Amino acid sequence: MAFLNGEQRDPRLNEILYPPCDAARTKDLVRTYEPNKEFADKGHISPDGLLRYLLSVENDVLMAEKYDLHDDMDQPLCHYFINSSHNTYLVGHQLTGRASVEIYRQCLLAGCRCVELDCWDGSDDEPIITHGFTMCTEVKFREVMEAIAESAFKTSDYPIVLSFENHCVKQQDKLARYCREILADSLLVDPFDSHPLEPGAPLPSPNLLKRKILIKNKKKHMHRPGAKRKSKSAGEPVEPKPASLLEEAKEADTPSRPVSLAADAAAGEDSADESESSSDEEEDTQEVSVEQLKAKQEKGTAASEAAAGTAISALVNYVTPTHFHSFEAAEKKNRGYEISSFVETQALQLLKTKPVEFVNYNKRQMSRIYPKGTRVDSSNYMPQAFWNAGCQLVALNFQSLDLAMQMNLGFFEYNHRCGYVLKPDFMRRVDRRFDPFAESTVDGIVAGTVSVQVLSGQMLTDKRCGVYVEVEMYGLPADTVRKRFRSKTVPNNTINPVFNEEPFVFSKVVLPHLAMIRILLCEETGKLLGHRILPVNGLRPGYRHVALRSEGNVPLSQPMLFVKIVVKDYVPDAMAAFIDALSNPIAYQSELQKREKQLEALIEDDVELPDATRPEQAHPSAEARRTSVVPVAAAAVAAMTRSTSNGGSLQKSAEAAAAMPTPPPKGQFIFTVSLTDSALVEAVDLDLLRKHPAYEKVASKQEKEVAKVKKKQGRVGQMRRSQTDSMLSLHKDQLKQETTVLSKYCAPLFDTLGALVKERHEQQRRKLNDVLHRQEMELKRQLDERNKAEKKELAKRHRDKQELSRMKREVQQKHINMAVNEIQKLRELHRAKDEELARRQDETQRELARQREEYERRLTDELKQKCDKLEHEFQ
């Protein structure tokens, strides 16, 4: 029970709402996980039972509610992060990749709720989906719609957005007809009466849009009769419009279709204003700059969409694309059903220049972010930067399982994988202000502190290699920590490596609601073996097993890491002691008492109070007053006795008597003495006076002072002996350590020498063999030349062919015998040299062995001599 409440419990939980684990709960856990029935009956748990509990679902690293549908799904659609895909149809490269219908099924089954369709006119009068002006293959639009209708709500019942990039000119009606026929009742054609397409009206909730499919396509504007528009004459050339930074949107500006008179009037007025401003811009002639060409290249084919037809426009309602002008213009229009698309470069620029306005924009309406067109390798940008600004549709290339895609899969793994994650409260409420670049605590949000200690791993991989673990955090820029925390590399052990690292501490997490911990396991070469992404606000503290995922976020069956997690509220260093005292006042009081006892050793215990402060001195009793007069009277009588015994006169006695203390004033006790009293002339007993309290008090002080001095002297002597022993021990330890180091490297040194001797011997043998080989070859060459010369000479002298042939055979045989004899001589010489080398090597090895023994013996003797010398010096 102490383990569950002390280590496994979140210290931030309220003890009334979340009571600690009691004895009954502990017994239930023991009975559930303890395999030994006798132990379970006694309330004991064995190591096997504890291991079963630590590996159970009940001890998962995340709260169980995180996996369930725990978010409020009745908020407007713009209050959610939505799992989105970019160029969904492509598999691989953006320029040469293959288009596939199956990828739509896979994305929808993976929880994606927004897919993209690039529609073009097909050659056989059937619209197609492909990446225009590239070498990518194409698929039929009808087949894609059938795949979407089949897989749309297998994983999640919440709405799907079909983002059309419509380049069709002649076949737009077929697009609309296929959407109506294939999607049937799932297609949302008309808006709800409770959520009209009017300025200021909120978007419907995901619960209201369950099992509905929304179309995002350019909408054909129905002009209000009588609306004034400025236009150029037919013969006047039209110069290219200046492309400002805020006009790099993916779709052209298309005002919504009016559904009421009020909306119609508002749409007409806004349309007239927009057209006037557009005409003014057209009048300003300007040449196309390099920046404009670059922006157009980044936007890709999205900038060349065709005008929307009436049939497809009728299907567009709550996701109406519009051209983005400025945050002020969008706020003025206040149309929640309009959505703007931003290329990542434009979105980053807006995020840097106007972060707070970007967040407020996303509170009111939706925005879609997509990769720039120069990412032809289908790489992805980091989505966390745009989640921090509240962007809902952060579209990624699902075919690339890079870090960004892994973050996306991990982020939408929770909330029952429905594809929707509710944004934090301060990113939804209009009365709250949030800056994505905040470094201090956000108003109303308690910052946190997270500590992750990697202890060990189990069954990490079937390969024999070294492994290490990294821990990263992603969130706000102030919370993001990458490439800082890495464990040691455990070599050649992937079954049960033990890391046992110091905790990796993220001291201040400004916004835990958006922060995610990424734990990754890598080979020593850097290859990823598995990882896990965990939301910070769902972590459970204590000893936990973290089951790892693959790059595609697929659970791995066996690999897991054993970690210890500590989660608590952030406390500044200056307030740490105060908070500790508040959280545990008993421990704080015990610490104070401990310090008080430690201070007692520094306070002298012989300090006496002044006499005037003592009660018995301030108000003496009658008995004390009587006894206090006795020493005075005795001193007077003694003085008189000494004066008379020494022959002094009565006058001197009188003077002595006059020198006595004056009697006490009237009203006090008067002590009278009679000269005839024999007791007055008795000698004073010094031994008796030494027993007097006054004398004993002074003597007691003397004894205490002497005892204190002796105690100090004893301490000095003891300290001296202790220091002498300590110094002697330290010197001996130092000498032993030096000897140990020397002995430790004795074997490697001499082994290295032995290996070098062998290597040198092998080199000499190889050199000797090379010499032998060269000499043999040279001998053969000379004999061959000599043989050829003799044969030529024989050919000149003998004309008879038979005789010549016989003579040649004789010469050949003679040369062979000569070559064999010479080669044998060379090899004998080589053998002798080789034996000499072997003998010299043996001698060298024996010399090394002798030197090694002598070296070790000398180390032992030197250590003994130095220790004896030290003992003599410290005596």
Side-chain angles (χ1 to χ4, degrees):
M1 186 167 63
F3 171 73
L4 295 176
N5 292 328
E7 298 289 346
Q8 305 295 97
R9 176 180 169 81
D10 194 335
R12 301 170 297 177
L13 294 178
N14 186 287
E15 294 188 357
I16 298 177
L17 299 178
Y18 303 93
C21 183
D22 54 8
R25 174 59 179 160
T26 305
K27 289 181 180 179
D28 291 340
L29 290 175
V30 171
R31 283 194 294 268
T32 303
Y33 297 106
E34 176 52 50
N36 192 323
K37 191 174 183 302
E38 295 181 0
F39 282 12
D41 294 339
K42 295 178 181 179
H44 299 165
I45 189 167
S46 63
D48 290 340
L50 180 61
L51 181 60
R52 289 188 177 190
Y53 166 72
L54 292 175
L55 290 171
S56 66
V57 179
E58 197 164 2
N59 192 56
D60 193 78
V61 69
L62 288 178
M63 302 174 185
E65 64 180 20
K66 282 293 178 182
Y67 297 100
D68 301 329
L69 189 66
H70 63 279
D71 284 342
D72 179 14
M73 305 303 290
D74 291 318
Q75 298 291 325
L77 204 62
C78 58
H79 289 179
Y80 297 86
F81 299 112
I82 304 174
N83 197 358
S84 305
S85 169
H86 170 256
N87 285 357
T88 312
Y89 50 89
L90 281 182
V91 180
H93 203 275
Q94 294 287 316
L95 300 181
T96 60
R98 178 175 58 88
S100 171
V101 176
E102 183 62 27
I103 195 69
Y104 283 93
R105 293 190 179 92
Q106 294 180 10
C107 287
L108 293 172
L109 293 176
C112 181
R113 296 288 91 187
C114 177
V115 294
E116 186 176 10
L117 302 89
D118 287 7
C119 305
W120 297 78
D121 290 328
S123 57
D124 54 352
D125 201 25
E126 284 290 330
I128 60 173
I129 293 178
T130 186
H131 200 188
F133 309 113
T134 66
M135 293 181 288
C136 297
T137 60
E138 60 188 41
V139 292
K140 298 291 185 182
F141 177 81
R142 183 186 183 92
E143 296 177 359
V144 171
M145 297 306 294
E146 291 174 350
I148 291 175
E150 176 187 347
S151 307
F153 304 107
K154 296 288 186 182
T155 300
S156 171
D157 288 336
Y158 290 100
I160 292 176
V161 178
L162 302 184
S163 179
F164 281 22
E165 186 178 307
N166 194 350
H167 300 272
C168 292
V169 178
K170 301 178 182 179
Q171 301 171 4
Q172 287 199 33
D173 291 343
K174 279 196 173 183
L175 297 181
R177 179 158 56 88
Y178 287 151
C179 289
R180 289 179 179 272
E181 291 177 357
I182 298 173
L183 301 181
D185 295 339
S186 299
L187 180 65
L188 183 67
V189 179
D190 298 318
F192 298 109
D193 295 337
S194 58
H195 295 79
L197 299 181
E198 296 178 353
L203 290 172
S205 67
N207 271 339
L208 189 60
L209 293 171
K210 264 189 175 181
R211 303 189 71 82
K212 291 295 181 181
I213 296 177
L214 306 178
I215 300 295
K216 172 184 170 292
N217 187 84
K218 287 202 307 183
K219 195 173 181 68
K220 186 176 182 180
H221 176 61
M222 307 295 292
H223 294 288
R224 183 172 62 88
K228 297 181 179 180
R229 294 179 58 89
K230 295 182 180 180
S231 61
K232 288 188 174 289
S233 61
E236 186 174 355
V238 178
E239 295 293 335
K241 190 184 300 184
S244 63
L245 177 64
L246 300 181
E247 293 176 350
E248 290 182 354
K250 188 173 182 181
E251 287 88 2
D253 183 17
T254 53
S256 64
R257 174 173 57 91
V259 294
S260 64
L261 292 178
D264 188 18
E269 293 173 1
D270 293 338
S271 176
D273 295 340
E274 292 170 6
S275 62
E276 290 177 3
S277 62
S278 177
S279 299
D280 294 340
E281 289 177 354
E282 290 176 357
E283 291 174 0
D284 298 332
T285 59
Q286 181 179 350
E287 295 182 358
V288 179
S289 63
V290 178
E291 288 76 9
Q292 294 176 3
L293 294 176
K294 182 179 179 181
K296 185 174 181 180
Q297 183 182 11
E298 289 177 349
K299 289 191 290 185
T301 59
S304 60
E305 287 190 78
T310 304
I312 194 68
S313 295
L315 305 180
V316 181
N317 37 62
Y318 291 118
V319 194
T320 303
T322 184
H323 186 71
F324 177 81
H325 292 284
S326 66
F327 292 122
E328 293 78 9
E331 184 178 6
K332 181 180 179 182
K333 290 193 294 184
N334 193 20
R335 297 173 183 172
Y337 57 87
E338 289 187 347
I339 179 175
S340 295
S341 294
F342 304 90
V343 68
E344 61 171 294
T345 52
Q346 178 193 5
L348 283 175
Q349 184 65 23
L350 291 174
L351 184 59
K352 287 188 293 184
T353 55
K354 297 184 178 181
V356 178
E357 290 81 355
F358 208 171
V359 174
N360 293 334
Y361 174 87
N362 289 316
K363 294 178 182 178
R364 182 178 56 255
Q365 60 196 91
M366 291 195 293
S367 61
R368 178 175 180 269
I369 316 297
Y370 63 96
K372 58 185 178 182
T374 53
R375 291 185 180 271
V376 294
D377 57 347
S378 297
S379 61
N380 288 305
Y381 54 86
M382 285 299 291
Q384 186 70 51
F386 304 109
W387 289 335
N388 293 340
C391 300
Q392 296 84 357
L393 301 170
V394 182
L396 300 178
N397 294 308
F398 270 49
Q399 65 268 37
S400 298
L401 295 177
D402 50 10
L403 174 60
M405 191 61 209
Q406 293 171 15
M407 296 291 298
N408 187 79
L409 293 173
F411 184 73
F412 289 103
E413 177 184 359
Y414 308 103
N415 199 31
H416 203 58
R417 295 181 63 193
C418 70
Y420 287 79
V421 174
L422 184 65
K423 294 195 288 187
D425 178 74
F426 52 84
M427 301 181 76
R428 295 182 276 121
R429 289 172 48 181
V430 295
D431 59 337
R432 299 286 293 275
R433 182 182 184 277
F434 173 64
D435 185 359
F437 296 97
E439 295 184 356
S440 59
T441 55
V442 181
D443 183 25
I445 303 299
V446 179
T449 298
V450 181
S451 170
V452 180
Q453 183 180 11
V454 183
L455 300 175
S456 62
Q458 292 81 39
M459 308 299 293
L460 301 181
T461 179
D462 55 355
K463 295 190 293 184
R464 183 178 178 86
C465 60
V467 292
Y468 65 88
V469 177
E470 287 188 12
V471 181
E472 301 175 338
M473 178 174 287
Y474 296 88
L476 296 184
D479 297 337
T480 301
V481 177
R482 299 181 61 185
K483 305 296 182 183
R484 182 188 302 177
F485 298 130
R486 171 176 170 172
S487 71
K488 65 181 180 182
T489 300
V490 178
N492 300 327
N493 184 3
T494 58
I495 303 300
N496 55 349
V498 176
F499 300 98
N500 201 19
E501 289 288 324
E502 290 296 323
F504 301 142
V505 181
F506 302 91
S507 57
K508 184 179 180 181
V509 184
V510 176
L511 192 58
H513 296 75
L514 285 178
M516 292 184 291
I517 290 282
R518 182 174 184 244
I519 303 176
L520 56 155
L521 172 71
C522 300
E523 292 184 11
E524 55 190 348
T525 59
K527 180 182 178 182
L528 181 67
L529 294 176
H531 76 116
R532 185 71 184 274
I533 295 174
L534 306 169
V536 171
N537 63 341
L539 289 176
R540 298 175 65 193
Y543 293 90
R544 311 286 177 181
H545 280 91
V546 179
L548 300 180
R549 303 279 195 265
S550 67
E551 290 182 345
N553 208 45
V554 178
L556 301 175
S557 59
Q558 292 182 330
M560 61 178 57
L561 295 172
F562 186 49
V563 300
K564 181 185 179 182
I565 298 176
V566 177
V567 182
K568 56 186 179 181
D569 294 334
Y570 168 72
V571 177
D573 295 338
M575 301 293 292
F578 178 69
I579 297 299
D580 291 341
L582 287 179
S583 61
N584 195 348
I586 297 177
Y588 180 71
Q589 190 65 26
S590 301
E591 184 67 20
L592 288 181
Q593 294 175 358
K594 180 181 177 182
R595 293 173 183 171
E596 184 178 356
K597 291 181 179 179
Q598 291 174 344
L599 285 174
E600 288 179 359
L602 301 176
I603 299 176
E604 296 183 358
D605 55 355
D606 57 350
V607 177
E608 298 291 344
L609 294 173
D611 292 342
T613 60
R614 294 181 179 274
E616 62 273 13
Q617 297 294 339
H619 303 284
S621 63
E623 181 65 24
R625 287 196 299 269
R626 283 194 297 269
T627 57
S628 65
V629 184
V630 174
V632 177
V637 173
M640 293 174 65
T641 305
R642 285 195 300 272
S643 62
T644 55
S645 61
N646 293 332
S649 62
L650 185 60
Q651 180 68 27
K652 293 181 179 180
S653 299
E655 293 176 358
M660 291 189 303
T662 58
K666 186 177 180 180
Q668 293 187 1
F669 177 79
I670 301 175
F671 185 79
T672 58
V673 181
S674 176
L675 293 176
T676 60
D677 195 349
S678 60
L680 295 176
V681 296
E682 292 181 356
V684 178
D685 189 354
L686 295 178
D687 294 334
L688 183 62
L689 290 179
R690 287 189 178 96
K691 296 180 181 180
H692 193 274
Y695 180 85
E696 288 181 350
K697 179 180 177 181
V698 177
S700 176
K701 284 187 177 182
Q702 179 188 18
E703 290 177 0
K704 288 182 179 180
E705 291 288 343
V706 173
K708 187 182 295 184
V709 173
K710 289 182 178 179
K711 186 176 181 180
K712 290 182 179 179
Q713 292 177 350
R715 288 179 181 175
V716 172
Q718 185 177 1
M719 290 175 61
R720 181 180 178 184
R721 289 192 298 273
S722 175
Q723 291 179 355
T724 301
D725 295 341
S726 299
M727 289 295 293
L728 179 61
S729 177
L730 287 174
H731 280 288
K732 284 186 176 181
D733 290 341
Q734 181 181 0
L735 292 175
K736 289 180 181 178
Q737 290 176 3
E738 291 178 0
T739 305
T740 302
V741 172
L742 293 174
S743 301
K744 175 183 176 182
Y745 284 96
C746 175
L749 286 173
F750 283 95
D751 290 343
T752 304
L753 282 176
L756 291 174
V757 169
K758 290 183 179 179
E759 183 180 357
R760 184 60 58 84
H761 174 72
E762 292 298 328
Q763 291 177 356
Q764 292 177 348
R765 289 194 62 185
R766 288 194 296 271
K767 186 176 181 180
L768 190 61
N769 290 333
D770 292 341
V771 172
L772 174 64
H773 180 69
R774 288 197 301 270
Q775 289 180 350
E776 288 181 351
M777 297 301 294
E778 181 65 22
L779 179 61
K780 290 180 180 178
R781 186 185 64 78
Q782 293 178 0
L783 292 177
D784 288 340
E785 291 178 355
R786 185 175 178 182
N787 187 16
K788 290 178 181 179
E790 290 184 359
K791 287 182 178 180
K792 287 182 180 180
E793 188 65 26
L794 289 175
K796 292 179 181 179
R797 289 185 297 176
H798 298 280
R799 298 297 180 183
D800 188 0
K801 292 184 178 180
Q802 292 182 354
E803 181 66 18
L804 179 60
S805 176
R806 183 183 64 78
M807 293 296 293
K808 285 183 178 181
R809 285 196 299 270
E810 290 180 357
V811 171
Q812 181 70 22
Q813 186 63 36
K814 182 181 69 172
H815 283 291
I816 290 174
N817 294 334
M818 187 181 300
V820 169
N821 293 333
E822 293 296 331
I823 290 174
Q824 285 180 352
K825 291 179 182 179
L826 284 175
R827 289 181 178 177
E828 289 293 334
L829 181 60
H830 173 268
R831 189 179 302 110
K833 292 288 185 181
D834 193 19
E835 290 176 354
E836 184 179 358
L837 281 177
R839 180 178 56 79
R840 290 181 179 178
Q841 183 190 17
D842 293 340
E843 292 177 355
T844 307
Q845 293 290 352
R846 286 194 296 271
E847 179 64 20
L848 278 176
R850 185 190 64 78
Q851 291 182 6
R852 181 172 181 174
E853 293 177 357
E854 183 181 354
Y855 181 77
E856 293 175 348
R857 184 172 60 256
R858 188 173 70 252
L859 287 178
T860 305
D861 295 341
E862 288 180 356
L863 175 63
K864 184 177 179 182
Q865 292 175 3
K866 290 180 180 179
C867 290
D868 294 341
K869 184 179 180 181
L870 282 174
E871 291 179 355
H872 180 72
E873 290 177 354
F874 280 92
Q875 284 181 355

